[in-house]
């Protein structure tokens, strides 16, 4: 008996984005869809359009042309403020109060605010924040000020914050930025557990390094100069040939024990 296909979480068709002040093409002719339970890697050189693409499916900006649907709602026909409440977004550049304890930072995810709105948090909401810290294996940080936590700890706290509204889509914008090796591996393990514990959750992770991808990564999209270079199941996309074409220099890709590694040789 055939199983029904997972529901579509985000869909982009014929999308283009231009910078109005300079008419610069940022994205051109993008077609892409993300389904429930898929875990995407979004890769490309600096300036390829990764952050812009993430903003589109995060309902943070609108395309210049084409259509974007997120969680069954087409941008331009929906209140994006309400839509964003169902999308988790994690970025190291997010503004959160540095002196607030980790539990308070996670609580703000329930209201989507920088500062806590204490009257909005009932006992159930407060307990959920504790539960999410436990799920991300950082419950011991509940009372520690966010600003004194390590980079890896802050990343996991921000993921817990993003999960407060039980999103269907989680966007991770370079979450491994500036992490040391142990912190990187802790975060990779946290993402692996998250995929196992929340089978319907879809994620999109922007990264520059294949070794940062957890073994649960299912799909990949390569961007080059605002266009899709390759898109599909991760094993079909993360190849030396396609990575070489995307980054414009020889790249050798290896895959072992569920993890990837990319190495670049000298141009001939």
């Amino acid at each position: 008996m055939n199983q029904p296909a997972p529901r579509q979480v985000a869909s982009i068709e014929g999308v283009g984005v231009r910078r109005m002040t300079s008419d610069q093409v940022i994205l051109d002719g993008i077609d892409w869809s993300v389904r429930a339970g898929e875990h995407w890697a979004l890769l490309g050189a600096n300036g390829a359009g990764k952050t812009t693409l993430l903003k589109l499916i995060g309902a943070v900006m609108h395309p210049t042309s084409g259509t974007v649907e997120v969680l069954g709602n087409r941008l331009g026909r929906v209140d994006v403020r309400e839509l964003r409440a169902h999308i988790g977004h994690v970025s190291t550049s997010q503004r959160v109060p540095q002196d607030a304890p980790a539990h308070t930072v996670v609580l703000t995810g329930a209201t989507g605010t920088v500062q806590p709105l204490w009257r909005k948090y009932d006992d159930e909401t407060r307990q959920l924040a504790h539960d999410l810290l436990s799920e991300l294996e950082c419950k011991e940080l509940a009372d520690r000020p966010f600003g004194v936590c390590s980079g890896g700890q802050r990343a996991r706290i921000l993921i817990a914050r993003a999960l407060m509204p039980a999103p269907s889509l989680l966007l991770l914008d370079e979450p491994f930025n500036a992490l040391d090796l142990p912190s990187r591996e802790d975060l990779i393990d946290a993402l692996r557990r998250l995929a196992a514990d929340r089978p319907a959750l879809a994620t999109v992770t922007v990264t520059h390094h294949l070794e940062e991808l957890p073994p649960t990564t299912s799909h990949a999209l390569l961007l080059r100069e605002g266009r899709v270079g390759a898109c599909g199941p991760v094993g079909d996309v993360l190849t030396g040939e396609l990575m070489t074409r995307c980054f414009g220099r020889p790249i050798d890709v290896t895959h072992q024990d569920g993890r990837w590694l990319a190495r670049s040789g000298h141009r001939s």
Side-chain angles (χ1 to χ4, degrees):
M1 182 176 179
N2 293 330
Q3 294 293 324
R7 69 183 179 89
Q8 196 162 259
V9 173
S11 175
I12 290 179
E13 294 184 5
V15 159
V17 174
R18 289 178 177 269
R19 183 170 284 120
M20 294 303 180
T21 54
S22 61
D23 203 36
Q24 176 189 357
V25 176
I26 301 173
L27 293 175
D28 184 22
I30 303 293
D31 294 314
W32 182 34
S33 65
V34 177
R35 296 186 178 276
E38 293 180 345
H39 302 286
W40 283 81
L42 181 54
L43 300 112
N46 289 335
K50 300 185 300 297
T51 297
T52 299
L53 190 52
L54 210 64
K55 287 181 177 179
L56 287 172
I57 65 171
V60 175
M61 66 180 294
H62 290 73
T64 306
S65 58
T67 61
V68 177
E69 290 193 3
V70 183
L71 304 180
N73 298 279
R74 180 171 295 188
L75 298 193
R77 300 180 183 177
V78 63
D79 185 337
V80 292
R81 293 169 299 181
E82 293 184 6
L83 182 56
R84 287 176 201 147
H86 302 283
I87 303 169
H89 195 180
V90 176
S91 170
T92 54
S93 64
Q94 281 175 290
R95 292 188 303 121
V96 296
Q98 298 294 300
D99 57 346
H103 182 260
T104 298
V105 171
V106 176
L107 270 179
T108 63
T111 46
T113 56
V114 175
Q115 297 294 334
L117 302 179
W118 293 111
R119 294 182 180 179
K120 298 284 188 179
Y121 310 134
D122 56 19
D123 290 343
E124 184 178 354
T125 302
R126 292 168 187 259
Q127 184 57 49
L128 175 60
H130 279 297
D131 292 343
L132 287 170
L133 283 171
S134 295
E135 182 178 351
L136 274 297
E137 294 194 347
C138 47
K139 63 180 180 180
E140 73 281 0
L141 305 176
D143 297 321
R144 185 178 301 179
F146 182 81
V148 302
C149 293
S150 70
Q153 291 168 341
R154 290 196 296 268
R156 285 182 284 154
I157 291 166
L158 290 176
I159 291 174
R161 178 182 185 271
L163 293 173
M164 278 295 287
S168 300
L169 176 62
L170 180 63
L171 308 177
L172 302 148
D173 191 1
E174 297 190 38
F176 301 93
N177 189 30
L179 296 189
D180 60 21
L181 179 60
S183 296
R184 184 192 78 185
E185 293 303 308
D186 286 344
L187 182 54
I188 288 171
D189 197 46
L191 293 175
R192 180 190 57 76
R193 293 194 308 273
L194 197 64
D197 295 342
R198 298 169 180 260
L201 179 67
T203 67
V204 179
T205 301
V206 173
T207 181
H208 289 286
H209 307 289
L210 296 194
E211 61 266 31
E212 294 175 346
L213 296 176
T216 47
T217 304
S218 61
H219 293 74
L221 187 151
L222 303 183
L223 276 180
R224 178 175 172 83
E225 298 178 349
R227 295 179 175 87
V228 174
C231 181
V234 66
D236 295 338
V237 174
L238 297 188
T239 67
E241 179 183 356
L242 293 176
M243 289 286 288
T244 295
R245 190 182 307 165
C246 179
F247 287 91
R249 65 180 301 149
I251 294 177
D252 180 54
V253 176
T254 56
H255 183 233
Q256 184 176 3
D257 299 327
R259 300 288 296 276
W260 288 265
L261 175 66
R263 296 182 180 181
S264 179
H266 296 291
R267 294 187 180 93
S268 58

